[in-house]
Amino acid sequence: QLQLVESGGGLVQPGGSLRLSCTASGFTLDDYTIAWFRQAPGKAREGVSCMSSSDGSTYYSDSVKGRFTISRDNTKNTVYLQVNNLKPEDTAVYYCAAHEIFEGFIATMALPRYEFDYWGQGTQVTVSS
């Protein structure tokens, strides 16, 4: 079965950290651009980070730059999003998505959902004291 599965979310206090995982089954993640999105209740989807399929370059939105880090472990067919110094406004469901080509950070983050080859089911991150 071809799918992406996220994990690693949870409840954390402000200033805390989590490592989100995005694991592929049935295909090789290294062949794809991987994007992380988040969506809070009542808000639009926000693209937070991506890793290019062409050269592994990484990109971040201004809201998370310096706090989030995207990385890949090809042996585990997994992409990670390390999220540090979490703030209440980071509370959202986090999704990963795979796209066969890299169209630039802004363009990739703006792609409609149906343009991505695979989407995960999401993992909830809640930042609260």
Side-chain angles (χ1 to χ4, degrees), residues 14-124:
S17 299
L18 291 169
R19 189 177 74 162
L20 309 183
S21 300
C22 171
T23 301
S25 59
F27 65 98
T28 302
L29 266 186
D30 196 29
D31 294 336
Y32 291 80
T33 287
I34 302 302
W36 281 96
F37 296 90
R38 65 186 181 186
Q39 189 161 22
K43 294 190 176 181
R45 185 189 83 185
E46 178 188 6
V48 297
S49 181
C50 78
M51 177 177 283
S52 163
S53 57
S54 59
D55 62 3
S57 296
T58 59
Y59 302 84
Y60 303 92
S61 67
D62 289 341
S63 62
V64 307
K65 198 172 295 181
R67 300 188 297 123
F68 290 14
T69 303
I70 189 172
S71 62
R72 189 198 305 264
D73 185 340
N74 291 335
T75 66
K76 297 182 178 180
N77 209 22
T78 297
V79 170
Y80 300 101
L81 187 68
Q82 178 69 38
V83 296
N84 296 330
N85 191 20
L86 283 162
K87 305 174 182 180
E89 52 264 41
D90 293 319
T91 295
V93 178
Y94 284 70
Y95 301 89
C96 62
H99 189 49
E100 203 166 15
I101 60 175
F102 181 61
E103 304 187 32
F105 177 61
I106 294 175
T108 297
M109 293 293 108
L111 288 172
R113 184 184 178 102
Y114 63 81
E115 288 282 355
F116 287 87
D117 299 275
Y118 305 100
W119 275 85
Q121 83 291 350
T123 186
Q124 175 71 47

